[in-house]
Amino acid sequence: MTVTLADVAARARVSPATVSRVLNGNYPVAAATRDRVLRAVDELDYVLNGPASSLAAATSDLVGILVNDIADPFFGIMAGAAQSEIGGQDPGGGAGPGRAGSQKLAVVCNTGGSPERELTYLTLLQRQRAAAVILTGGALEDPDHSAAMTAKLGRLVEAGTRVVLCGRPPLPEGEAAIAALAFDNRGGGRRLTEHLLALGHRTIGYVAGPLERTTTRHRLEGHRDALRAAGVPGADDGSGRGPLTLHGPYTRRSGYEATLELLRREPGLTALVAANDTVALGACAAVRDQGLRIPQDVSVAGFDDLPFSVDAVPALTTVRLPLQEAGARAGRLAMGTEAPPPGGIATIAAELMARASTAPPRS
Amino acid sequence: MTVTLADVAARARVSPATVSRVLNGNYPVAAATRDRVLRAVDELDYVLNGPASSLAAATSDLVGILVNDIADPFFGIMAGAAQSEIGGQDPGGGAGPGRAGSQKLAVVCNTGGSPERELTYLTLLQRQRAAAVILTGGALEDPDHSAAMTAKLGRLVEAGTRVVLCGRPPLPEGEAAIAALAFDNRGGGRRLTEHLLALGHRTIGYVAGPLERTTTRHRLEGHRDALRAAGVPGADDGSGRGPLTLHGPYTRRSGYEATLELLRREPGLTALVAANDTVALGACAAVRDQGLRIPQDVSVAGFDDLPFSVDAVPALTTVRLPLQEAGARAGRLAMGTEAPPPGGIATIAAELMARASTAPPRS
DNA sequence: CTGTTAGCGCTTTCAC
DNA sequence: GTGAAAGCGCTAACAG
């Protein structure tokens, strides 16, 4: 029923091996022969059988990109940039319908933040003998899950799959073969709070991300570092959860509700730091709904500098993460077209974007 | 080196065939045998070889979801919902590390709006013998590309791949086997403009999406329909491009620049309709930068009702599309767990969300 | 530069 | 309920 490589070979009056060589373009073939083969491919509308080819070659052209939330532009931007580097080039050499050169198939897999699904996707990709896997965004810090991840990634590496971490800290046990592009969440968090402190704020609420996520912890630590350095007390009770810190998912709703609660607990609050820009938007809405003005009554800051943040009213003070660049670099690392950073680890700087949503406190 | 099914069979003292049957669970196997096999799988940390299995079975468990822009939540929301339906269930039966039941691998492919990449991805998925393909968002209306798409999708269907359109109108030549979930962009566009007309606006600018996209055309047609029905002239010069209509990509920047231009051309503008919410945000920024107030001086409206729209200041009037529901339904159609709509085509309603960014004109 | 020959690891009749 | 055997369609040595 379906056309096979043998059919093409017959029509082009060459051996299957030759057709394979033409298609893979990784072997010298006479121009005349190649043309004949290519013509046969087009005439028969032949499409390579991926599974068969992967089986024989023991590798596939699948590259998996794991994201925690595909509906969040934070991940979409990184994934899109990575995908462009991987599968974005023009199909090589004026390809006809049947061919697609040595194209890799970059695909994004949405874990929804679930550790089980993360592992499941890795198994599925391992099953497909994926050429590479990119893990984006913060990791869960649960020891069991960490161990399972380390083991699974180790097996992938062993099987020849390239593994790249993008916006995620290196594995605890530091598999050397795994390149990591880590965001400086801690430094960014610190600079953001320093900015607030410099403006004169002393009572600062913090709407943090979900517990046990590296991203959450690092941003929070940066915040606490700044507070401590300035000798501002009260934000840390030693448990890592100050009375002015509330945890929740990376959603607008979480920002809204946590802000209401924080404002209730501490009416003297003059500034609010959110886990990210989306949460900050919710926080802004809550502040406003309480009849307070931003930034006159309460300053609000986010993190990530997603595209919509500059359009918030007032424009959101935040910390810019070069998501596009990081994603692209991860894509190149996955393709092997860029050398891994020294030590396998690169820290990517986070830049403070001071805008209109923060100002000196009222009094 | 890597563990194969034969290794498992040897360890469990059964034949490879039996292991295969246990793993696929689609055949009677004695409980004792099954346990022995499962134990061997866990002990050896066996992972099925996807390509080999796909080759032998002539199908794979890959499901492709094509999106125009993965960084746009419009697509992220649909893709995430679809992916949940497809690969989101718990791995069947307390699966150990090696197994992943009959899990499908739902993957999203970012075309970036490029017709070539769209075709390339379809070829790549065809190559992998994908179980299903979901195409989301508006289609390009170029006749050549349409023909190529129709041909390629026809071939996919022929090869047993289920094809679902989500938020995309049915193919011109209407392949019966392709289910289509189409948004009522036209009706939504019409109701939005009717709302503006009812408020008293007569000079309405329109920042449209890219040319030759079904989504762009349908929304614009709805707008024109409403104008025509109300007897408002000037917005249509018969070419389908009124002087108050400007086309551009679905970006904030496009909204910003087009709005500046529109305001320059027609200072008497009292309302502005944008291609979508993202564009509307850019439009708002431009209006504001011109020293005009929203909605007192100029009303602004978007389309899609993305999550951030309600947080815009003022909250954005827009048209809500049930992206989540549509994506989930597309996922179920792709899995075959939901019956296709009668005739293979369902039109999904678009609901007007009148909010604070629109109000009666000044004078 | 091209053809021949073995498999790659799994599924699936067909027997038992 | 289980085993044996025959491919699935391609790639990759080897020859020539």
Side-chain angles (χ1 to χ4, degrees), chain A residues 5 20 24 46 53 56:
Chain A
L5 184 142
S20 173
N24 292 298
Y46 170 67
S53 130

Side-chain angles (χ1 to χ4, degrees), chain A residues 296-314:
Chain A
Q296 295 89 337
D297 299 315
V298 179
S299 287
V300 178
F303 210 109
D304 294 345
D305 195 24
L306 294 187
F308 61 74
S309 303
V310 70
D311 283 321
V313 179

Side-chain angles (χ1 to χ4, degrees), chain B:
Chain B
M1 238 232 50
T2 55
V3 184
T4 72
L5 183 142
D7 299 332
V8 176
R11 195 176 222 293
R13 317 198 121 274
V14 295
S15 72
T18 301
V19 178
S20 172
R21 294 196 262 252
V22 170
L23 260 26
N24 291 298
N26 49 9
Y27 218 82
V29 175
T33 317
R34 130 175 289 106
D35 286 353
R36 210 137 34 84
V37 170
L38 255 23
R39 200 170 329 117
V41 166
D42 282 357
E43 287 166 355
L44 295 175
D45 214 15
Y46 170 68
V47 175
L48 191 70
N49 183 316
S53 131
S54 298
L55 172 58
T59 58
S60 85
D61 50 7
L62 247 201
V63 175
I65 304 175
L66 266 61
V67 302
N68 288 339
D69 181 5
I70 198 178
D72 185 339
F74 175 82
F75 293 100
I77 292 169
M78 282 194 290
Q83 204 161 23
S84 295
E85 291 294 329
I86 294 166
Q89 324 86 325
D90 280 22
R99 295 164 279 137
S102 61
Q103 282 281 69
K104 296 249 181 284
L105 212 209
V107 300
V108 358
C109 308
N110 185 31
T111 66
S114 146
E116 293 79 31
R117 288 181 70 184
E118 185 166 61
L119 250 5
T120 301
Y121 267 123
L122 286 179
T123 299
L124 255 18
L125 287 165
Q126 182 181 2
R127 218 166 143 127
Q128 303 296 328
R129 305 302 189 248
V133 171
I134 300 176
L135 297 144
T136 65
L140 194 69
E141 293 200 294
D142 174 69
D144 287 353
H145 184 245
S146 280
M149 286 293 285
T150 304
K152 169 123 321 229
L153 291 178
R155 251 172 270 127
L156 278 163
V157 167
E158 230 169 72
T161 298
R162 230 179 242 126
V163 177
V164 179
L165 308 180
C166 179
R168 171 176 300 215
L171 294 180
E173 282 97 61
E175 166 84 45
I178 299 181
L181 304 177
F183 291 131
D184 183 18
N185 281 310
R186 191 167 182 145
R190 185 167 41 68
R191 278 188 291 282
L192 182 55
T193 297
E194 283 169 355
H195 159 73
L196 257 15
L197 290 167
L199 287 172
H201 294 278
R202 287 299 175 271
T203 311
I204 306 175
Y206 195 107
V207 183
L211 277 169
E212 303 196 330
R213 291 250 148 208
T214 52
T215 309
T216 300
R217 183 164 61 79
H218 292 153
R219 292 182 183 178
L220 199 43
E221 283 174 0
H223 172 68
R224 299 267 161 80
D225 287 351
L227 253 27
R228 199 171 307 114
V232 175
D236 192 345
D237 63 359
S239 76
R241 297 185 214 177
L244 292 185
T245 300
L246 249 33
H247 287 269
Y250 287 117
T251 61
R252 174 210 188 251
R253 185 188 178 127
S254 161
Y256 188 90
E257 291 175 353
T259 298
L260 253 28
E261 171 65 14
L262 248 19
L263 251 20
R264 199 187 55 67
R265 285 197 199 169
E266 179 51 72
L269 214 65
T270 63
L272 220 34
V273 178
N276 71 10
D277 291 348
T278 303
V279 173
L281 238 46
C284 287
V287 167
R288 222 172 266 119
D289 284 359
Q290 290 302 294
L292 299 169
R293 291 161 308 159
I294 304 169
Q296 296 86 338
D297 298 314
V298 179
S299 287
V300 178
F303 210 110
D304 294 346
D305 195 24
L306 294 186
F308 60 74
S309 303
V310 70
D311 283 320
V313 178
L316 196 63
T317 290
T318 184
V319 176
R320 164 177 287 255
L321 254 25
L323 300 174
Q324 178 95 31
E325 293 78 352
R329 193 164 166 200
R332 289 191 298 270
L333 286 170
M335 292 293 279
T337 52
E338 175 173 320
I345 300 171
T347 299
I348 296 179
E351 181 192 1
L352 174 69
M353 305 296 284
R355 295 201 273 241
S357 71
T358 49
R362 219 162 144 69
S363 75

Side-chain angles (χ1 to χ4, degrees), chain A:
Chain A
M1 242 242 36
T2 56
V3 184
T4 73
L5 184 142
D7 298 333
V8 176
R11 194 176 223 293
R13 317 197 122 272
V14 296
S15 73
T18 300
V19 177
S20 173
R21 294 196 264 253
V22 170
L23 259 27
N24 292 298
N26 48 9
Y27 220 81
V29 174
T33 317
R34 133 177 284 108
D35 286 353
R36 213 140 31 86
V37 170
L38 256 23
R39 201 168 330 116
V41 166
D42 282 357
E43 288 167 354
L44 295 175
D45 213 16
Y46 170 67
V47 175
L48 190 70
N49 183 318
S53 130
S54 299
L55 172 58
T59 58
S60 84
D61 50 6
L62 247 199
V63 175
I65 303 174
L66 265 61
V67 302
N68 288 339
D69 181 6
I70 198 178
D72 185 339
F74 174 82
F75 292 100
I77 291 169
M78 283 194 291
Q83 204 161 23
S84 295
E85 291 294 328
I86 293 165
Q89 323 86 326
D90 278 22
R99 295 163 277 136
S102 63
Q103 281 281 66
K104 294 248 183 283
L105 212 207
V107 300
V108 359
C109 307
N110 184 33
T111 67
S114 146
E116 294 80 30
R117 287 181 70 183
E118 185 167 60
L119 249 6
T120 302
Y121 267 122
L122 286 178
T123 299
L124 255 17
L125 288 165
Q126 182 182 1
R127 218 167 144 126
Q128 303 296 329
R129 305 303 188 249
V133 171
I134 300 175
L135 296 145
T136 64
L140 194 68
E141 294 199 295
D142 174 69
D144 288 352
H145 183 245
S146 281
M149 287 293 286
T150 304
K152 168 122 320 222
L153 292 177
R155 252 171 271 128
L156 277 163
V157 167
E158 229 169 73
T161 297
R162 230 178 241 128
V163 177
V164 179
L165 308 181
C166 178
R168 169 174 302 211
L171 293 181
E173 282 95 64
E175 166 83 47
I178 298 181
L181 304 177
F183 292 131
D184 183 18
N185 282 309
R186 192 170 182 141
R190 185 168 41 67
R191 279 189 290 284
L192 183 55
T193 297
E194 283 169 355
H195 160 73
L196 257 13
L197 291 167
L199 287 173
H201 294 277
R202 286 302 173 269
T203 311
I204 305 175
Y206 195 107
V207 183
L211 277 169
E212 303 195 331
R213 293 251 148 207
T214 52
T215 309
T216 300
R217 183 165 63 78
H218 292 154
R219 292 182 184 178
L220 199 43
E221 283 174 1
H223 172 67
R224 299 265 161 81
D225 288 352
L227 252 27
R228 199 172 306 115
V232 174
D236 194 344
D237 62 1
S239 74
R241 295 184 218 177
L244 293 186
T245 300
L246 249 33
H247 287 269
Y250 287 116
T251 60
R252 175 215 185 246
R253 186 189 177 126
S254 161
Y256 188 91
E257 292 175 353
T259 297
L260 253 28
E261 171 64 15
L262 248 20
L263 251 20
R264 200 186 56 68
R265 283 196 200 169
E266 180 50 74
L269 215 66
T270 63
L272 220 35
V273 179
N276 72 9
D277 291 349
T278 303
V279 174
L281 238 45
C284 287
V287 167
R288 221 172 268 120
D289 284 0
Q290 290 301 296
L292 300 168
R293 290 161 308 159
I294 304 169
Q296 295 89 337
D297 299 315
V298 179
S299 287
V300 178
F303 210 109
D304 294 345
D305 195 24
L306 294 187
F308 61 74
S309 303
V310 70
D311 283 321
V313 179
L316 196 64
T317 290
T318 185
V319 176
R320 164 177 288 255
L321 254 25
L323 301 173
Q324 179 95 32
E325 293 79 353
R329 193 163 166 201
R332 289 190 300 269
L333 286 170
M335 292 294 279
T337 52
E338 175 173 319
I345 300 173
T347 299
I348 296 178
E351 181 193 0
L352 175 67
M353 305 297 283
R355 296 202 272 242
S357 70
T358 51
R362 218 160 145 67
S363 76

